[in-house]
């Protein structure tokens, strides 16, 4: 398995253009949130189960283990971001007229369109065309840029 710096360097190769970076800073977290929302919308078995126990929270566990394996600091940051995302989706489900599913679909499609526009501007294909694991690295790349982990050994 590649280490964090290897992943970030390889991901960064197709994210050099400042417009593409800005698009990614906005759209990657939005896509992460919509994936949580899409998973949240799938009915979960059990009648007396907490609404916080669902496919989204269940599948976030291996994702967080992946991030922790790359870097404990990254893993803790992604756990915090994931918790905020779960709380937002839960809040949405309780307070908004539009369903979590519909909101997630709309934002997911819009964010991916913008991502592809960013890559068109960049002139390079999205990294996940090379390796699907880069879908997990996008959120890590943004977190690492925010906290300077992209410039040092994490």
């Amino acid at each position: 398995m590649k280490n964090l710096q290897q992943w970030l360097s390889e991901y960064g190769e197709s994210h050099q253009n400042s417009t593409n970076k800005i698009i990614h800073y906005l759209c990657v977290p939005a896509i992460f949130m919509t994936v949580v929302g899409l998973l949240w919308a799938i009915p979960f078995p059990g009648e007396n189960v907490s609404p916080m126990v669902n496919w989204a929270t269940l599948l976030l566990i291996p994702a967080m283990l992946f991030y922790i394996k790359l870097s404990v600091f990254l893993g803790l940051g992604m756990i915090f971001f994931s918790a905020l995302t779960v709380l937002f989706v839960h809040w949405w489900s309780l307070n908004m007229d539009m369903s979590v599913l519909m909101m997630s679909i709309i934002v997911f499609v819009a964010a991916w369109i913008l991502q592809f526009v960013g890559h068109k501007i960049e002139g390079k294909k999205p990294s996940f065309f090379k390796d699907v694991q880069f879908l997990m690295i996008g959120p890590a790349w943004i977190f690492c840029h925010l906290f300077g982990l992209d410039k040092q050994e994490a």
Side-chain angles (χ1 to χ4, degrees):
M1 184 169 142
K2 297 176 191 172
N3 69 34
L4 179 59
Q5 293 309 313
Q6 290 169 320
W7 280 116
L8 296 176
S9 294
E10 197 171 339
Y11 188 86
E13 290 172 11
S14 61
H15 300 87
Q16 299 294 313
N17 179 278
S18 60
T19 301
N20 190 29
K21 284 182 179 181
I22 291 168
I23 289 169
H24 278 67
Y25 291 151
L26 298 172
C27 292
V28 168
I31 290 167
F32 186 95
M33 180 270 303
T34 63
V35 170
V36 170
L38 292 167
L39 292 169
W40 187 282
I42 299 171
F44 195 77
E47 291 180 25
N48 296 323
V49 178
S50 165
M52 298 302 268
V53 176
N54 56 56
W55 293 114
T57 56
L58 183 68
L59 291 172
L60 279 169
I61 294 168
M64 296 308 106
L65 293 173
F66 172 80
Y67 292 127
I68 289 169
K69 189 172 181 180
L70 289 175
S71 160
V72 173
F73 185 70
L74 169 64
L76 293 174
M78 291 304 298
I79 289 168
F80 179 73
F81 175 69
S82 297
L84 290 177
T85 302
V86 165
L87 290 173
F88 172 76
V89 170
H90 182 61
W91 172 85
W92 185 281
S93 72
L94 296 175
N95 295 292
M96 303 305 281
D97 290 333
M98 182 184 293
S99 71
V100 168
L101 177 62
M102 185 56 63
M103 176 273 297
S104 296
I105 291 170
I106 291 167
V107 174
F108 184 87
V109 170
W112 272 110
I113 289 170
L114 287 170
Q115 294 265 82
F116 282 106
V117 167
H119 279 286
K120 180 73 172 168
I121 292 167
E122 178 87 39
K124 295 181 183 167
K125 292 180 182 178
S127 301
F128 74 88
F129 283 178
K130 179 180 176 183
D131 185 340
V132 74
Q133 290 181 86
F134 279 112
L135 292 172
M136 295 287 292
I137 299 304
W141 181 76
I142 289 174
F143 179 85
C144 290
H145 274 196
L146 290 174
F147 291 97
L149 292 178
D150 57 323
K151 296 174 179 52
Q152 60 184 337
E153 197 61 40

